[in-house]
Amino acid sequence: MVPVVTYQFLSTRRDGTVEHLTLNRPDVRNAFNEHVIAELTAWAAEVRQQAAQGTIRVAVIGGAGKMFCAGADVTWMSKTIHYSESENLRDATAMSAMFAAIDALPLPVIGRVQGAALGGGAGLAAVCDVVVAEDAALFGFTEVKLGILPAVISPFALAKIGRSAARELFLTGARFSADRAREIGLVHVVVPAAELDAAVDQYVREFLAGGPEAIAAAKALIPTVSGRSIADATPITAAAIAARRVSPEGQEGLKAFLEKRAPSWSGRVLDTKDTKHTKDTKGDHS
Ligand code: COA
């Protein structure tokens, strides 16, 4: 396990090619202020760079202490009364850029949610590809209860939960259960707290068994194709699969299947001494 970069409000841990990020302001339930936003944006840039080098293949985002994340820091937001309109706009734009940077990371991002994910915390869950939540976790787009609104997170939340749930949940600001979050697509798996890490690890293993470039291309395909007609999408999707088929990674994956062996990237996931994993993933071509 190699620590990568030191942050003030985040902690990171590297486990092979898996980057574990922990929001680390447990005294305020990991709320975001401008410093956390800057650090998360820098973290996403670092992960993007390392993903391109193949040194990070999966990221897991969690929160220290009792809660995943209580959203924007209310103390910080209340101080913005003294900011000019352009300063307020600058801050909101920076927050939006942070969510967009995580949303577009070219690798799978897993959210590990315990306690609560409220406001921007629910937004952070929305920019993860997979969210695993403990069964007691609470979610909420609670902003209207504070007289503000879930503006910056809305594109990311809407992409996950759709308009109908958003009309209910953005407008009431009500807190809702992990089961409800799963029903509306914000969460993928709900487990007892004691099983949270095992459920995250299961997804990590699943992602490490896939071709990293193929996973990045599959992730990029979703926002590109979403909302297009089939006629508009066809040239894009045909070009995407054609490029993958002839790519070295695509060729390796197809050959590995036919030769009944593990593809080369399954060896890249771990310490080369770990032969058990290679054996476990052999023949997993699902
Ligand atoms: N911003 C700043 N501080 C926050 C915060 C936030 N979003 N959420 C919690 N805190 C602070 C509390 O003010 C408290 O500080 P204190 O110890 O100085 O009094 C501390 O974190 C612990 O909060 P507390 O409410 O006592 O903890 P809890 O574990 O009982 O409940 C929450 C945690 C997250 C459920 C609760 O604090 C909460 O509902 N927070 C507001 C969440 C929200 O609406 N976020 C949307 C913001 S747009």
Side-chain angles (χ1 to χ4, degrees), residues 25-32 66-67 69-77 95 115-121 138 140-146 148-149 175:
R25 293 183 83 206
D27 48 328
V28 289
R29 305 300 181 255
N30 302 316
F32 306 130
K66 290 164 61 173
M67 306 272 154
C69 177
D73 186 319
V74 177
T75 309
W76 165 59
M77 282 193 292
M95 193 179 211
L118 301 173
L138 283 181
F141 300 99
T142 50
E143 285 86 344
V144 293
K145 296 278 206 251
L146 300 170
I148 55 173
L149 79 165
R175 292 167 196 227

Side-chain angles (χ1 to χ4, degrees), residues 87-181:
E87 285 169 329
N88 263 304
L89 268 177
R90 181 204 58 204
D91 267 19
T93 306
M95 193 179 211
S96 184
M98 172 199 86
F99 284 117
I102 299 171
D103 187 62
L105 280 175
L107 44 62
V109 178
I110 303 171
R112 178 196 184 282
V113 177
Q114 87 285 19
L118 301 173
L124 188 59
V127 296
C128 294
D129 298 300
V130 167
V131 176
V132 177
E134 68 154 305
D135 50 11
L138 283 181
F139 293 78
F141 300 99
T142 50
E143 285 86 344
V144 293
K145 296 278 206 251
L146 300 170
I148 55 173
L149 79 165
V152 160
I153 63 172
S154 61
F156 310 104
L158 272 168
K160 284 285 178 74
I161 71 173
R163 288 187 186 205
S164 178
R167 287 174 81 147
E168 179 204 1
L169 299 169
F170 285 11
L171 273 56
T172 60
R175 292 167 196 227
F176 52 94
S177 68
D179 280 336
R180 179 80 202 285

Side-chain angles (χ1 to χ4, degrees), residues 1 18 25 35 43-44 51 72 110-111 119 144 171 189 219 226 253 256 278:
M1 299 191 189
V18 182
R25 293 183 83 206
H35 306 297
W43 173 80
I110 303 171
V144 293
L171 273 56
V189 176
K219 182 165 173 174
S226 180
T278 309

